[in-house]
């Protein structure tokens, strides 16, 4: 007979004694259980003791988290968090260097537990650590453990970042500014500066005064990728929190210090592979750089502004090799007629006053900036496109002006100009780090592609939107290959001609073709359950392999991971914290926590998940919201997940729903079902190629008048 639901069987350790096996009644107060355990070992003052998990976390068990104790768990009787905090608080002030170092090491480890952290902070522990840092007497491991403990304590969000003195900020900044500094100290210092900038406007200003881009650059030229990652994270934080009027100034400084080329040579093109955290920071830097274009993208052209009108005159001058005529040359009507003719050749919608074309936002003035850049930096290509189209028949000319405006708008949508960076996305493009004016160069390549595709499609003005769709398809397919340079991107586009796009689309259409004849539909219905079972098995097999999930804090990104996998018999979810990203699968026995599948009540996604309601950063971040899901078990207990990407999100939500006997309704399941069904159908219909399948079965012939034709075997 199974034990009651409130009874948990555990083993409890105590140093120097044999472990005890006992049953814990979850209805009893935790203090009563600790008292019972202490009496079993004849220990007095039970209020000075506590239970903690005997695993890598060593987290204390409290009334809040006691429901996480599972059958078979190993616990440890230890000093209470208040007593441990008091002891460490005293020891880190010890005159003995060895005792102090050991205490700081224990403090750095214990501070990950919020229960201990609260007790240590109540003793004004944060102030003690900051005083130790400000004194400047500690170096090496001692300073490293001090800063580690500080970072861990602050990560719990108990203490406000606004409480720190300028002296502390100067000291942390000095560790970053020194050319030769212990790697662990430098890493923690960079992490502290990033958190200060992201969490406090006042601290941003103080940090910005202490740290310059020039002092951060040398850390990017080293060989330690973690230091490089934290350095870029600090630069991103300074960039993100800078007032709008200072961002362009900061971008100019980054350009002067050749940040882009240093990142390209020392990070992107180094011999080391780029880890996910570095990829994320490069993505954030890419987004923030492109967001500098937002102001121009949202600025309408003022048709009365002479300086802006001069840009249009310059486009006309370069294209047709004409100088601006003085006001007294010829009649006004003649000059207007000449301008109108040239503006029509340039492909503007409004031939009389092309400035009106740039009043649409987006792309606003950004489109005009791109056109001028193209005309000046690739003058031959610009003149060829304009003259080539102005000499074509009217119905086949590609309007350069209109195309440039719509293309700029499309590129802004593709690169999400003006949107805040995602909290998890690692999707950076190496080619954008190969040029200081990468957006403009990107435009120059794409406008030539548009002109080429227009000719290949033999398009007319009525086909404009159709051409833009094909061009977007070409650009997206080329970007998805992650070219390393703009030249590679251009080469990829050369291979994606209109004819090739048609072939790819035709192939995709055939793969997804939905035959509508009745026999085919009946065959699909017959095959579909087999395919769904195949998908179900694949999802469960993936859950058995397991996935590494990142723990995301609303205060800063952390390299903290946990792993979850399904047991081979599909009856238990094993999960537990990891110290670092695993290489391959994590064995079941190293994952301390268990959740029986039979206890799972429901799977929740998106806004329904409790962790998306608790954390402000997750609540605001649309992309993270789309990757969040939770498992509800018992009455109100949750196991919360944030998938590393959309694919893993679909795999896990499908797999969990399959375990519960519910429908797998993800986009990935629909895509896999369509693909596998299409393949299976084609295989089964292979022998019927070029044979017309009738819509209805042929009629059954009437019975013959006699059966004399039947041969009697006897």
């Amino acid at each position: 007979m199974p034990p009651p639901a409130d009874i948990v069987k555990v083993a409890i350790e105590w140093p120097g004694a044999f472990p005890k096996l006992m049953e814990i009644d979850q209805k009893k107060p935790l203090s009563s259980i600790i008292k019972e355990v202490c009496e079993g070992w004849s220990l007095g003052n039970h209020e000075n003791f506590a239970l903690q998990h005997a695993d890598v976390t060593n987290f204390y068990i409290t009334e809040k988290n006691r429901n996480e104790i599972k059958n078979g768990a190993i616990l440890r009787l230890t000093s209470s968090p208040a007593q441990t905090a008091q002891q460490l608080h005293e020891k880190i002030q010890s005159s003995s260097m060895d005792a102090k170092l050991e205490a700081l090491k224990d403090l750095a480890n214990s501070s990950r537990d919020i229960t201990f952290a609260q007790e240590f902070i109540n003793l004004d522990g944060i102030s003690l650590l900051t005083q130790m840092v400000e004194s400047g007497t500690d170096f090496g491991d001692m300073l490293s453990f001090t800063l580690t403990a500080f970072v861990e304590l602050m990560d719990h969000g108990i203490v406000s970042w606004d409480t720190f003195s300028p002296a502390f900020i100067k000291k942390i900044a000095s560790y970053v500014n020194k050319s030769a500094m212990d790697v662990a100290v430098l890493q923690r210092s960079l992490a502290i500066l990033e958190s200060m900038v992201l969490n406090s406007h006042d601290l941003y200003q103080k940090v910005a005064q202490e740290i310059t881009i020039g002092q951060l650059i040398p850390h990017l030229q080293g060989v330690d990728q973690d230091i490089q990652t934290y350095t870029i994270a600090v630069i991103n934080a300074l960039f993100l929190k800078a007032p709008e009027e200072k961002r362009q100034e900061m971008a100019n400084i980054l350009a002067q210090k050749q940040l882009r080329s240093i990142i390209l040579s020392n990070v992107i093109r180094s011999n080391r592979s780029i880890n996910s955290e570095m990829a994320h920071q490069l993505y954030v830097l890419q987004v923030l750089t492109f967001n500098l274009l937002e102001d121009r993208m949202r600025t309408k052209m003022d048709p009365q502004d002479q300086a802006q009108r001069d840009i249009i005159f310059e486009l006309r001058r370069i294209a047709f090799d004409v100088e601006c005529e003085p006001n007294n040359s010829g009649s006004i009507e003649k000059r207007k007629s000449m301008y109108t003719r040239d503006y029509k050749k340039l492909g503007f919608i409004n031939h009389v006053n092309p400035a009106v074309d740039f009043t649409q936002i987006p792309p606003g003035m950004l489109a005009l900036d791109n056109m001028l850049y193209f005309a000046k930096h690739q003058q031959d290509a610009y003149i060829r496109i304009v003259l080539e189209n102005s000499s074509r028949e009217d119905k086949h000319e590609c309007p350069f002006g209109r195309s440039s405006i719509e293309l700029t708008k499309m590129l802004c949508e593709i690169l999400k100009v003006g949107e805040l960076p995602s909290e998890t996305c690692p999707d950076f493009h190496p080619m954008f780090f190969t040029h200081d004016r990468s957006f403009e160069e990107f435009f120059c390549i794409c406008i030539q592609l548009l002109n080429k595709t227009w000719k290949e499609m033999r398009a007319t003005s009525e086909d404009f939107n159709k051409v833009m769709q094909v061009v977007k398809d070409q650009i997206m397919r080329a970007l998805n290959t992650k070219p390393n340079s703009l030249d590679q991107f251009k080469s990829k586009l050369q291979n994606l001609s209109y004819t090739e796009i048609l072939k790819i689309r035709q192939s995709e259409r055939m793969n997804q073709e939905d035959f509508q004849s009745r026999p085919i539909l009946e065959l699909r219905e017959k095959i579909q359950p087999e395919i769904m079972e195949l998908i179900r098995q694949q999802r469960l097999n993936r859950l058995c392999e397991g996935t590494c999930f990142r723990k995301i804090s609303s205060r800063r990104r952390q390299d903290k991971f946990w792993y979850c996998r399904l047991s081979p018999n599909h009856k238990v979810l094993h999960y537990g914290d990891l110290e670092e990203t695993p290489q391959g699968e994590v064995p079941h026995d190293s994952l301390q926590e268990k959740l029986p599948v039979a206890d799972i009540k429901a799977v929740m996604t998106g806004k329904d998940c409790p962790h998306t309601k608790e954390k402000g950063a997750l609540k605001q971040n649309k992309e993270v919201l789309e990757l969040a899901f939770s498992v509800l078990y018992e009455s109100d207990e949750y196991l919360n997940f944030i998938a590393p990407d959309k694919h893993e999100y679909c795999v896990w939500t499908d797999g969990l729903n399959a375990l519960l006997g519910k429908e797998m309704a993800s986009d990935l399941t629909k895509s896999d079902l369509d693909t596998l069904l299409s393949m299976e159908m084609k295989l089964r219909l292979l022998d019927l190629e070029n044979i017309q399948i009738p819509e209805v079965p042929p009629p059954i012939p009437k019975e013959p008048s006699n059966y004399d034709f039947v041969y009697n075997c006897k």
Side-chain angles (χ1 to χ4, degrees):
M1 185 174 173
D6 294 319
I7 302 297
V8 184
K9 294 184 177 181
V10 298
I12 301 179
E13 298 176 343
W14 171 250
F18 287 110
K20 280 188 173 185
L21 296 176
M22 69 179 291
E23 294 183 351
I24 291 179
D25 185 350
Q26 293 285 40
K27 288 183 177 177
K28 285 176 67 176
L30 192 58
S31 56
S32 301
I33 295 168
I34 293 170
K35 183 179 180 182
E36 185 182 332
V37 173
C38 289
E39 287 172 351
W41 275 310
S42 303
L43 299 171
N45 299 324
H46 70 272
E47 62 275 1
N48 291 333
F49 292 91
L51 291 173
Q52 65 179 184
H53 292 282
D55 56 17
V56 290
T57 64
N58 293 330
F59 284 175
Y60 282 99
I61 291 162
T62 64
E63 290 291 354
K64 284 185 179 179
N65 65 22
R66 64 185 292 177
N67 289 327
E68 294 174 11
I69 303 172
K70 305 297 177 189
N71 277 314
I74 300 173
L75 309 181
R76 183 188 297 119
L77 184 67
T78 186
S79 301
S80 68
Q83 191 174 42
T84 306
Q86 184 64 51
Q87 289 169 354
L88 289 177
H89 192 273
E90 292 168 4
K91 285 180 181 177
I92 62 176
Q93 301 177 72
S94 168
S95 56
S96 166
M97 288 297 105
D98 290 342
K100 186 176 179 180
L101 179 63
E102 196 61 34
L104 284 168
K105 186 178 179 181
D106 290 343
L107 177 63
N109 187 49
S110 300
S111 296
R112 293 179 299 162
D113 183 358
I114 192 168
T115 310
F116 169 85
Q118 185 68 68
E119 296 292 343
F120 189 77
I121 289 168
N122 290 344
L123 296 171
D124 211 14
I126 296 261
S127 297
L128 177 59
L129 293 178
T130 55
Q131 287 165 19
M132 289 169 63
V133 172
E134 287 173 21
S135 69
T137 55
D138 295 336
F139 301 97
D141 287 346
M142 201 169 287
L143 179 57
S144 171
F145 289 133
T146 303
L147 294 178
T148 302
F150 176 84
V151 170
E152 295 292 351
L153 290 167
M154 290 304 296
D155 270 346
H156 296 298
I158 300 169
V159 178
S160 168
W161 282 94
D162 287 310
T163 56
F164 299 108
S165 67
F168 178 70
I169 298 166
K170 281 180 182 291
K171 202 69 187 174
I172 296 296
S174 72
Y175 299 141
V176 173
N177 293 337
K178 284 180 183 174
S179 54
M181 178 51 66
D182 180 79
V183 171
V185 172
L186 178 57
Q187 187 174 320
R188 301 295 182 275
S189 300
L190 288 166
I192 291 168
L193 290 178
E194 182 200 1
S195 293
M196 282 179 172
V197 172
L198 291 176
N199 288 284
S200 167
H201 178 68
D202 290 340
L203 287 185
Y204 154 73
Q205 293 176 322
K206 291 172 184 174
V207 171
Q209 290 170 1
E210 298 295 332
I211 294 286
T212 65
I213 301 300
Q215 290 161 331
L216 292 171
I217 294 291
H219 301 314
L220 292 172
Q221 296 169 318
V223 294
D224 189 306
Q225 191 171 108
D226 286 338
I227 296 296
Q228 291 175 326
T229 303
Y230 277 99
T231 302
I232 296 176
V234 172
I235 293 171
N236 286 338
L238 289 168
F239 214 143
L240 190 64
K241 291 297 178 179
E244 285 188 24
E245 64 274 10
K246 285 193 175 181
R247 283 183 192 169
Q248 189 59 56
E249 181 186 329
M250 187 175 171
N252 295 336
I253 295 170
L254 295 178
Q256 288 170 11
K257 298 293 182 182
Q258 298 185 317
L259 175 74
R260 178 197 58 74
S261 57
I262 289 168
I263 289 175
L264 183 66
S265 55
N266 292 281
V267 178
I268 297 172
R269 290 182 177 170
S270 69
N271 296 326
R272 302 180 306 277
S273 60
I274 293 175
N275 62 34
S276 60
E277 179 63 19
M278 173 60 87
H280 171 74
Q281 293 300 342
L282 290 172
Y283 152 80
V284 172
L285 183 59
Q286 173 186 294
V287 171
L288 294 175
T289 305
F290 284 140
N291 280 357
L292 292 170
L293 303 168
E294 184 183 7
D295 184 49
R296 294 295 282 173
M297 182 183 79
R298 302 203 182 280
T299 301
K300 289 182 180 182
M301 184 170 184
D302 180 1
Q304 307 305 318
D305 188 318
Q306 188 58 42
Q308 294 178 359
R309 290 167 65 86
D310 286 345
I311 300 174
I312 298 175
F313 292 149
E314 182 68 4
L315 290 173
R316 174 178 174 264
R317 185 194 67 75
I318 296 171
F320 305 116
D321 196 22
V322 293
E323 296 299 330
C324 290
E325 298 85 352
N327 289 335
N328 58 2
S329 64
S331 69
I332 294 174
E333 290 301 321
K334 184 179 177 183
R335 276 192 288 116
K336 276 188 177 179
S337 172
M338 191 164 52
Y339 281 143
T340 301
R341 181 199 66 206
D342 289 347
Y343 291 148
K344 184 179 180 183
K345 287 180 180 179
L346 278 169
F348 290 113
I349 297 171
N350 191 316
H351 306 149
V352 178
N353 186 6
V356 176
D357 289 13
F358 299 98
T359 55
Q360 173 196 352
I361 54 169
M365 288 296 290
L366 185 59
L368 189 58
D369 295 343
N370 282 339
M371 292 166 73
L372 184 63
Y373 183 91
F374 180 49
K376 285 189 170 182
H377 291 82
Q378 299 197 23
Q379 199 169 105
D380 291 344
Y382 167 69
I383 293 170
R384 189 187 70 250
I385 287 175
V386 173
L387 296 183
E388 198 177 75
N389 285 296
S390 63
S391 61
R392 273 188 209 164
E393 297 176 44
D394 274 356
K395 62 177 184 177
H396 285 301
E397 66 182 13
C398 176
F400 173 73
R402 182 185 176 193
S403 299
S404 298
I405 292 167
E406 289 302 319
L407 179 64
T408 301
K409 184 179 177 182
M410 181 203 292
L411 298 183
C412 289
E413 288 171 0
I414 290 172
L415 298 176
K416 299 181 179 178
V417 175
E419 293 186 24
L420 283 174
S422 154
E423 203 168 317
T424 55
C425 180
D427 190 24
F428 81 100
H429 293 278
M431 73 177 196
F432 292 129
F433 289 85
T434 62
H435 202 284
D436 288 327
R437 303 288 295 273
S438 57
F439 185 81
E440 290 87 344
E441 289 290 323
F442 186 41
F443 170 83
C444 291
I445 294 169
C446 293
I447 192 65
Q448 293 177 77
L449 167 74
L450 193 154
N451 190 62
K452 173 174 168 280
T453 303
W454 186 284
K455 287 190 286 186
E456 289 171 349
M457 293 176 67
R458 294 188 57 78
T460 63
S461 55
E462 286 80 16
D463 301 318
F464 186 86
N465 290 334
K466 184 180 175 185
V467 174
M468 294 304 294
Q469 287 170 4
V470 173
V471 169
K472 185 173 184 178
D473 198 1
Q474 291 169 313
I475 293 170
M476 292 302 295
R477 289 179 190 276
L479 280 178
N480 288 339
T481 64
K482 292 290 174 72
N484 289 318
S485 67
L486 290 162
D487 286 336
Q488 273 191 26
F489 175 68
K490 194 187 293 185
S491 176
K492 299 279 184 189
L493 290 176
Q494 290 294 332
N495 297 327
L496 285 170
S497 64
Y498 176 57
T499 308
E500 186 62 27
I501 289 290
L502 283 180
K503 286 180 184 175
I504 293 170
R505 286 180 171 181
Q506 180 67 20
S507 172
E508 290 174 350
R509 202 175 295 118
M510 286 176 68
N511 288 337
Q512 298 171 1
E513 197 166 13
D514 190 14
F515 302 103
Q516 294 302 320
S517 63
R518 190 172 137 201
I520 300 295
L521 292 174
E522 288 177 358
L523 180 60
R524 280 177 68 93
E525 287 175 16
K526 185 178 178 183
I527 296 171
Q528 189 162 324
E530 300 171 27
I531 302 295
M532 284 302 291
E533 179 58 26
L534 189 67
I535 294 171
R536 178 180 171 278
Q537 288 299 327
Q538 187 272 340
R539 298 293 192 266
L540 294 177
N541 289 340
R542 274 289 292 108
L543 264 61
C544 290
E545 291 172 16
T547 300
C548 178
F549 297 93
R550 182 186 290 277
K551 288 187 174 181
I552 295 183
S553 163
S554 59
R555 292 167 294 283
R556 68 179 183 92
R557 288 174 60 82
Q558 306 171 64
D559 289 322
K560 293 186 178 179
F561 306 92
W562 67 289
Y563 199 88
C564 186
R565 63 181 298 183
L566 181 65
S567 62
N569 63 4
H570 300 171
K571 290 187 176 179
V572 179
L573 282 175
H574 297 264
Y575 62 96
D577 291 341
L578 300 175
E579 291 298 313
E580 56 185 3
T581 313
Q583 303 297 322
E585 292 182 20
V586 176
H588 293 100
D589 51 13
S590 67
L591 300 172
Q592 302 293 328
E593 306 292 337
K594 295 179 183 178
L595 172 59
V597 172
D599 290 351
I600 298 177
K601 301 284 190 292
V603 177
M604 309 174 113
T605 59
K607 293 178 181 177
D608 296 330
C609 300
H611 57 317
T612 61
K613 295 172 184 173
E614 290 169 9
K615 294 183 178 177
L618 300 189
K619 200 170 180 182
Q620 295 162 12
N621 195 306
K622 183 184 174 186
E623 191 159 338
V624 172
L625 207 61
E626 290 173 352
L627 299 176
F629 62 99
S630 300
V631 170
L632 169 66
Y633 61 97
E634 294 180 0
S635 56
D636 58 349
E637 295 295 318
Y638 295 90
L639 184 60
N640 298 319
F641 299 76
I642 294 175
D645 51 50
K646 191 69 178 175
H647 181 271
E648 287 296 317
Y649 170 84
C650 292
V651 166
W652 273 85
T653 50
D654 282 344
L656 292 168
N657 280 322
L659 286 172
L660 299 178
K662 295 182 179 178
E663 182 187 0
M664 299 183 293
S666 74
D667 294 339
L668 185 62
T669 293
K670 292 171 187 171
S671 172
D672 287 350
L673 180 63
D674 287 345
T675 303
L676 293 171
L677 258 179
S678 178
M679 287 171 61
E680 185 66 21
M681 294 282 288
K682 285 176 182 176
L683 286 171
R684 296 200 183 194
L685 298 173
L686 212 53
D687 293 337
L688 296 179
E689 195 171 358
N690 298 324
I691 296 175
Q692 183 68 36
I693 301 173
E695 284 293 325
V696 292
I700 299 170
K702 293 179 181 179
E703 289 191 20
S705 55
N706 62 68
Y707 291 88
D708 294 345
F709 57 85
V710 177
Y711 178 74
N712 192 334
C713 296
K714 296 179 183 178

